[in-house]
Amino acid sequence: MILPKKSLILIQILRFLVLYFHHQPCSLAIDEYEFVVKEATYTRLCSTKKILTVNGQFPGPTIEAQHGDTIYVNVYNQGKQNITIHWHGVLQPRYPWADGPEYITQCPIKPGGRFRQKIIFSTEEGTLWWHAHSDWSRATVYGAIIIHPKVGTRYPFPKPDAEVPIILGEWWKEDITKVLQQMHDAGGDPNISDAFTINGQPGDLYPCSKQGTFKLTVDRGKTYLLRLINAAMNIILFFAIKKHNLTVVGVDAGYTKPLSSEYVTISPGQTIDALLSANQKPDRYYMVARAYSTGSNHHFDNTTTTAIVQYKGKYSNPTSSSSSSSLPSLPFYNDTNAAFSFLGGLKSLADKKHPIDVPLHIRNRIFTTISVNSFPCRDNNTCAGPNGTRFAASMNNISFVNPSTALLQAYYQHTNGVYGDNFPDMPPFLFNFTDIFLPLNLETPKRGTEVMVLDYNTTVEIVLQGTALMGGIDHPIHLHGYNFYIVGFGLGNFDIYKDPVKYNLKDPPLRNTVSVPINGWVTVRFKADNPGVWLLHCHIDRHMTWGMKTVFIVKDGDQPEERLLPPPPDMPRC
């Protein structure tokens, strides 16, 4: 049969489109999402409870966008408690109004309320995530954000055959609001979680969990991009897959030099893009995650969550045993050298298509301690913290107190009395920060709502110094509204003369969350070119709840395109 000329032309056009889009990243049409925050019933670990979810899903829905997109998320609060949603790692240039942290950039969305949040993607490309940022709601309210390259551009690595979000989390049998309330009432550590999860499932090693174990089915010879997210509340995690190396190609929505490793270390708030080559004989292999925890006299969940990588095809003796020999080996729980050996191996891609711009001439130098502290128990009672005290946490000896209205609103409307602008750029006391024997008078911080004000476009260096107060522990520190270059880290006290000489200014990793090692330090640099109000805090939630946070206010620049955009009309009110 001879087709008409018009039909032949149409077929040729269709063939071209099929071939074109087959070789391009997905073109995504969704620019508006509906997030209904509501309770849903879930069963884990042989017991059933109601949890807070988005759209009834746990984990919540995945947001997909392309480099440079702007999308809208309509958040409806049908739950029983206040809620905010944060788009972790999204820079939101000049638009902190939709950033999300409660009483920092917005008042919470009350039950029955709604807020249409505008999400502006700029330089991000890779994996980020969203989560609740009010009390401890993020224990179950979270999901992945995937930012694809623009149409017409490619990954700086061979295109994978498939992409799979792998979200690591924690699960409590008890209602998370009760866990938080008990911590507040007693003044001590919260009850530890009962399980870790992979994509919402605890896995084979926990009771009543085998049937729901997450399974990733693969074809031998193909490559899979795992989009790893640590959504755990209070723990850094090691992650590995039996008999398979992972090749890390990106972190926190930025590309890195390929790094092959038997395991990864991932802190709460961090994301890692890693390629999995299905190059083993057809079988079933465990992927696992378990805690990296270093605090002395600190209880933590020492269980192991599992998922399964299963090859297509028929094969005998599939891996079904939960014995330790079936699991990949991971570093020991407190192996700091292993944790930071991996983190120290991450480098920016730093090529012509992905240049870096590390600030070399620094105007604002900030040195801040990050400490776990204590306050006397109220009314001469005895609390569950050390020596009958109440746990606290601080930066430069200030334990941050949330205001009763949003800081951003107060700043924008020039409202006095909401916050102070005297956050110190040096600790009030200089001492041997990592000495295991420290005077008790150093353990009690001051309370306050103090921020640091930065001029637009100024260059900033922050040295984050961990202390041995209350025994010390690792701290994942997250900065909203910015990425920063991690130019150096080490154990012990930061040495102002020796350590800067060893900074990596050539290809340091660009991240939004950095792990500060136990009794060690990290130096980060960035340019303050995003005007607004931006939170800096520990992403271990108990530490943030105790006050380990502060706020940067970045002033407007001189040009219109350097100034804070106005608020949306439907901002929630306190």
Side-chain angles (χ1 to χ4, degrees):
M1 182 178 69
I2 299 176
L3 293 174
K5 186 175 181 181
K6 287 185 178 180
S7 298
L8 289 172
I9 293 173
L10 180 60
I11 290 172
Q12 288 176 338
I13 292 173
L14 289 173
R15 283 177 177 172
F16 169 80
L17 291 174
V18 168
L19 289 171
Y20 178 81
F21 285 107
H22 177 74
H23 292 286
Q24 299 297 329
C26 297
S27 180
L28 302 167
I30 298 177
D31 60 3
E32 192 143 342
Y33 289 80
E34 303 291 313
F35 274 25
V36 180
V37 180
K38 60 182 180 180
E39 289 187 340
T41 301
Y42 275 77
T43 300
R44 297 289 185 273
L45 308 180
C46 314
S47 62
T48 300
K49 67 172 184 177
K50 288 187 176 181
I51 62 172
L52 203 61
T53 68
V54 167
N55 300 346
Q57 301 175 38
F58 172 67
T62 296
I63 288 176
E64 294 198 57
Q66 286 180 317
H67 182 116
D69 279 356
T70 294
I71 67 170
Y72 293 86
V73 181
N74 297 300
V75 181
Y76 302 89
N77 187 2
Q78 294 183 4
K80 299 176 182 178
Q81 60 200 67
N82 292 341
I83 197 73
T84 64
I85 304 293
H86 168 53
W87 320 98
H88 187 111
V90 181
L91 304 184
Q92 293 286 77
R94 303 167 54 214
Y95 198 74
W97 303 103
D99 187 48
E102 187 177 42
Y103 296 114
I104 304 300
T105 61
Q106 70 171 83
C107 297
I109 308 168
K110 298 175 182 178
R114 66 179 295 276
F115 181 28
R116 188 171 188 254
Q117 294 187 246
K118 181 180 180 180
I119 317 303
I120 305 171
F121 296 103
S122 52
T123 61
E124 308 89 350
E125 192 167 302
T127 306
L128 294 173
W129 65 304
W130 59 264
H131 60 83
H133 214 300
S134 48
D135 289 331
W136 282 21
S137 302
R138 82 168 183 89
T140 55
V141 180
Y142 59 78
I145 300 175
I146 298 174
I147 309 107
H148 299 279
K150 291 180 181 178
V151 171
T153 63
R154 300 173 181 270
Y155 294 122
F157 49 83
K159 184 180 179 182
D161 295 286
E163 304 178 11
V164 186
I166 301 291
I167 308 180
L168 312 175
E170 283 184 274
W171 182 269
W172 281 260
K173 289 182 179 180
E174 192 169 18
D175 187 292
I176 196 64
T177 59
K178 291 183 180 179
V179 174
L180 177 60
Q181 189 60 51
Q182 289 166 1
M183 185 187 79
H184 277 309
D185 293 345
D189 261 326
N191 291 335
I192 62 173
S193 55
D194 297 291
F196 296 117
T197 59
I198 297 177
N199 287 351
Q201 294 290 347
D204 285 5
L205 306 186
Y206 297 95
C208 306
S209 301
K210 187 166 185 174
Q211 185 174 0
T213 298
F214 174 75
K215 298 176 179 65
L216 171 60
T217 302
V218 299
D219 287 302
R220 192 169 189 271
K222 291 188 176 182
T223 301
Y224 298 82
L225 178 60
L226 304 186
R227 298 183 176 275
L228 294 169
I229 299 166
N230 186 351
M233 294 287 287
N234 288 308
I235 208 76
I236 302 170
L237 292 166
F238 289 123
F239 173 90
I241 300 175
K242 182 76 172 181
K243 293 187 177 181
H244 292 76
N245 275 13
L246 295 169
T247 301
V248 176
V249 292
V251 294
D252 292 0
Y255 296 120
T256 62
K257 290 180 171 66
L259 174 66
S260 180
S261 182
E262 294 179 356
Y263 67 93
V264 303
T265 311
I266 185 166
S267 297
Q270 291 183 333
T271 66
I272 293 175
D273 289 335
L275 296 174
L276 166 66
S277 295
N279 55 12
Q280 298 298 307
K281 71 174 185 178
D283 206 334
R284 302 172 81 226
Y285 299 90
Y286 274 124
M287 67 168 67
V288 304
R290 78 169 184 212
Y292 161 61
S293 183
T294 56
S296 60
N297 301 318
H298 166 64
H299 298 289
F300 65 95
D301 185 344
N302 63 2
T303 61
T304 301
T305 181
T306 62
I308 294 173
V309 175
Q310 56 183 18
Y311 282 69
K312 289 182 181 177
K314 296 181 179 180
Y315 40 86
S316 59
N317 301 319
T319 301
S320 58
S321 170
S322 60
S323 68
S324 59
S325 62
S326 302
L327 304 177
S329 65
L330 284 173
F332 197 62
Y333 298 114
N334 63 355
D335 193 338
T336 298
N337 288 333
F340 283 87
S341 174
F342 168 76
L343 294 171
L346 298 171
K347 311 291 181 186
S348 286
L349 204 53
D351 59 18
K352 289 183 179 180
K353 292 185 178 180
H354 306 89
I356 63 171
D357 186 18
V358 184
L360 300 179
H361 304 288
I362 303 300
R363 280 190 58 193
N364 287 76
R365 296 184 187 275
I366 303 164
F367 184 98
T368 180
T369 53
I370 47 177
S371 305
V372 175
N373 308 97
S374 67
F375 286 123
C377 201
R378 302 188 186 105
D379 303 322
N380 296 319
N381 292 323
T382 299
C383 290
N387 302 314
T389 62
R390 172 177 292 274
F391 269 121
S394 68
M395 301 184 72
N396 269 350
N397 208 47
I398 297 176
S399 185
F400 192 89
V401 177
N402 273 349
S404 57
T405 190
L407 276 174
L408 175 59
Q409 178 183 338
Y411 168 69
Y412 188 75
Q413 297 177 349
H414 306 286
T415 304
N416 294 324
V418 176
Y419 62 88
D421 58 3
N422 293 313
F423 183 84
D425 57 10
M426 287 289 291
F429 309 110
L430 296 176
F431 55 94
N432 182 357
F433 301 115
T434 59
D435 192 341
I436 59 174
F437 300 106
L438 292 172
L440 292 177
N441 65 316
L442 295 174
E443 293 182 357
T444 304
K446 294 181 179 179
R447 290 185 174 95
T449 309
E450 297 294 337
V451 310
M452 177 166 283
V453 180
L454 299 173
D455 290 329
Y456 179 82
N457 232 21
T458 191
T459 50
V460 184
E461 177 180 284
I462 309 175
V463 177
L464 299 156
Q465 174 70 60
T467 77
L469 292 169
M470 300 295 170
I473 195 172
D474 300 76
H475 297 285
I477 302 296
H478 172 50
L479 176 59
H480 291 225
Y482 286 91
N483 291 320
F484 45 67
Y485 291 101
I486 304 171
V487 298
F489 68 89
L491 299 177
N493 294 311
F494 175 75
D495 189 314
I496 193 172
Y497 300 106
K498 296 180 181 179
D499 289 323
V501 177
K502 298 177 287 186
Y503 283 170
N504 175 14
L505 303 178
K506 178 184 176 183
D507 56 359
L510 185 66
R511 306 204 75 163
N512 62 59
T513 306
V514 61
S515 293
V516 181
I518 179 173
N519 296 336
W521 58 271
V522 165
T523 301
V524 302
R525 290 183 176 184
F526 65 96
K527 182 181 286 187
D529 56 2
N530 191 9
V533 173
W534 306 107
L535 180 64
L536 177 74
H537 67 94
C538 183
H539 223 284
I540 290 178
D541 272 47
R542 67 181 188 278
H543 295 166
M544 182 173 64
T545 301
W546 293 338
M548 191 179 289
K549 53 189 174 182
T550 189
V551 168
F552 286 120
I553 293 181
V554 179
K555 295 190 291 187
D556 285 347
D558 295 329
Q559 303 302 316
E561 64 272 14
E562 300 171 347
R563 295 172 187 166
L564 183 65
L565 293 167
D570 63 339
M571 283 294 297
R573 296 182 179 181
C574 293

